[in-house]
Amino acid sequence: MARPFKAPKSPIRPPRAPKVTPPTVEDGEEGVPAPREGQRLHKLLAMAGFGSRRDMEALIETGRITINGQVAQVGAVVDEHDVVRMDSRILHLPFEAELPQVLLYHKPEGEIVSQDDPEGRATVFDKLPRIKQGKWIAVGRLDMNTSGLLMFTNSGELANRFMHPRYEVEREYAVRILGELTEEQMAQLKHGIELEDGPANFESIFPNGGEGANKWYQVVIKEGRNREVRRLFEAFHLPVSRLMRVRFGPVALPPRLKRGTMLKLEQKQVVALLEWAGLPVPRKPLKQMSPHDRDRATRVFTPKVRKQRRSLLDTVNNPVDTQQERPARAPTGNRRIRQDSDLKQASMQNARINSGAKKRTDRNRGRG
């Protein structure tokens, strides 16, 4: 005899504990509101590659940056839910650190490191490849007559870590002078010499050969003042005939990078630079690339001259209409303009051909 089906007994659950909501601070009560989580606006703009922090502070002071429709102030804090605009353009800010791009360029003599030259001379920014986010920032400067290693990055934080005087990043140069230094002069250059803008000295200096009256020296300096290396040698009436930067901090000029060529650093090399600079490394895993793609991405290339787009700060300092007028057409001269009579004559000829009229051939040519 079959037994009747019995539903299993449901286990007895303990009663739920009531939710405890934290007391809210009402108006008029004493209490400190919780600080808002976010990041500084000028820092995010610098991380996006629009310029240095100081430039972004100057941009915010112009009043053209708004946060949720309100004019932004210097030191404002924003988060992912805020809408930041430059005029009517929405800015996409990197709240999470992204892996920046770094370019190495072997600058030849005759080019200036400036984005705007009133004299119209050749500038290194005319050769840089296009970039999707932000803009290229030159890490340090080189005189027009100075060649060697020049770095570019789209990270304002990384560029600031290389250039700010408080970090004292080493710059190494190969110098050729007309003459020769004595032991006393080399010791004095290491100890310090008083220049027009203050004392200056080399961290290290040692001879590196030479022929005839021209002698080479290898020097290391921790400042980036204007023409500082040249002025130190000119203090002893020894003019510099050749100046070349071979190292900037942990980055040395690669031997395969010839004059006028560029090289993009690999992802692992960029991560090593961020760790050296003490900057946050992106949490996202590195992009997996095949050996062919990796070799292609880091291949030495010769840049082509192109027109650079204007940065946000340039549009503030020099506001101009971006819509350029079309160039005027060249004068027609004695060119004949088609008339209505030409169209009528062409239509009559087509009608005669299509009407089935007898055509003259070689057989009946000349017959009546």
Side-chain angles (χ1 to χ4, degrees):
M1 182 176 180
R3 297 180 181 180
F5 174 77
K6 294 183 179 180
K9 298 181 179 181
S10 59
I12 301 176
R13 297 180 180 180
R16 293 182 179 180
K19 294 183 180 181
V20 179
T21 57
T24 58
V25 179
E26 300 180 356
D27 297 338
E29 295 183 357
E30 296 182 358
V32 180
R36 181 185 178 187
E37 295 183 358
Q39 301 185 42
R40 300 281 185 180
L41 176 59
H42 64 277
K43 177 183 177 181
L44 293 175
L45 292 172
M47 290 174 57
F50 293 116
S52 63
R53 291 192 181 186
R54 185 176 302 177
D55 293 340
M56 294 303 98
E57 290 179 355
L59 177 64
I60 295 174
E61 291 178 352
T62 60
R64 302 183 66 181
I65 302 292
T66 59
I67 304 175
N68 302 326
Q70 303 294 329
V71 178
Q73 303 295 331
V74 177
V77 178
V78 295
D79 54 25
E80 298 178 356
H81 304 286
D82 294 325
V83 179
V84 181
R85 295 176 181 266
M86 166 70 178
D87 293 336
S88 58
R89 171 188 171 189
I90 298 179
L91 303 180
H92 301 281
L93 303 178
F95 290 92
E96 294 185 0
E98 298 180 0
L99 191 66
Q101 300 184 39
V102 180
L103 283 178
L104 305 185
Y105 178 47
H106 191 160
K107 174 189 171 300
E109 299 177 355
E111 296 180 355
I112 63 173
V113 186
S114 176
Q115 295 187 3
D116 185 16
D117 181 39
E119 301 180 12
R121 295 171 293 182
T123 171
V124 295
F125 286 92
D126 296 337
K127 298 182 177 181
L128 295 178
R130 298 187 182 276
I131 190 171
K132 296 181 180 179
Q133 183 70 17
K135 68 171 186 177
W136 290 113
I137 303 173
V139 181
R141 289 176 175 268
L142 291 177
D143 296 337
M144 183 176 181
N145 298 326
T146 303
S147 62
L149 176 62
L150 185 62
M151 299 172 55
F152 296 93
T153 179
N154 63 335
S155 172
E157 294 292 321
L158 185 59
N160 181 72
R161 180 60 177 80
F162 271 91
M163 295 185 295
H164 202 282
R166 72 168 176 266
Y167 297 115
E168 296 184 346
V169 180
E170 291 184 349
R171 297 131 164 108
E172 186 174 351
Y173 293 87
V175 190
R176 187 183 70 181
I177 64 173
L178 183 60
E180 187 174 1
L181 291 171
T182 63
E183 294 293 337
E184 293 78 8
Q185 291 174 339
M186 294 176 60
Q188 191 173 355
L189 285 173
K190 293 177 63 176
H191 183 268
I193 294 178
E194 190 68 27
L195 299 179
E196 297 177 356
D197 52 353
N201 69 293
F202 290 136
E203 294 297 321
S204 64
I205 177 173
F206 57 89
N208 199 15
E211 297 179 357
N214 294 320
K215 301 297 181 182
W216 283 91
Y217 290 88
Q218 209 81 1
V219 300
V220 175
I221 197 170
K222 290 186 177 180
E223 293 180 326
R225 285 187 280 177
N226 185 27
R227 301 182 72 253
E228 187 173 2
V229 176
R230 296 179 183 270
R231 288 186 296 160
L232 283 172
F233 281 98
E234 291 173 357
F236 296 102
H237 304 284
L238 297 173
V240 175
S241 58
R242 186 82 177 274
L243 183 59
M244 179 179 178
R245 183 160 66 190
V246 297
R247 182 174 63 88
F248 197 149
V251 182
L253 182 64
R256 61 177 177 142
L257 194 62
K258 306 303 179 182
R259 290 191 179 185
T261 59
M262 287 186 178
L263 173 66
K264 184 178 180 181
L265 292 186
E266 298 182 7
Q267 300 181 43
K268 295 182 179 179
Q269 295 173 326
V270 177
V271 171
L273 277 184
L274 294 177
E275 294 176 349
W276 168 84
L279 298 177
V281 179
R283 302 176 183 176
K284 300 180 181 178
L286 299 180
K287 183 180 179 181
Q288 299 296 329
M289 303 176 64
S290 64
H292 175 73
D293 294 339
R294 188 184 304 108
D295 178 70
R296 183 179 180 182
T298 58
R299 188 179 302 169
V300 176
F301 65 95
T302 302
K304 298 181 180 180
V305 179
R306 69 174 185 83
K307 188 176 180 181
Q308 290 287 321
R309 67 176 181 177
R310 306 179 67 202
S311 64
L312 293 179
L313 195 60
D314 295 336
T315 58
V316 176
N317 298 333
N318 301 314
V320 294
D321 188 8
T322 56
Q323 297 181 355
Q324 300 179 356
E325 297 181 358
R326 293 183 178 179
R329 278 189 173 183
T332 57
N334 298 328
R335 181 181 177 183
R336 184 175 180 272
I337 301 176
R338 179 177 292 182
Q339 305 292 336
D340 294 340
S341 59
D342 299 336
L343 299 177
K344 293 179 181 179
Q345 184 177 0
S347 61
M348 293 176 61
Q349 292 178 358
N350 294 335
R352 180 182 176 184
I353 293 175
N354 298 331
S355 61
K358 183 179 180 180
K359 299 181 181 179
R360 299 177 62 88
T361 63
D362 294 339
R363 179 176 298 179
N364 58 9
R365 183 169 296 172
R367 297 181 181 180

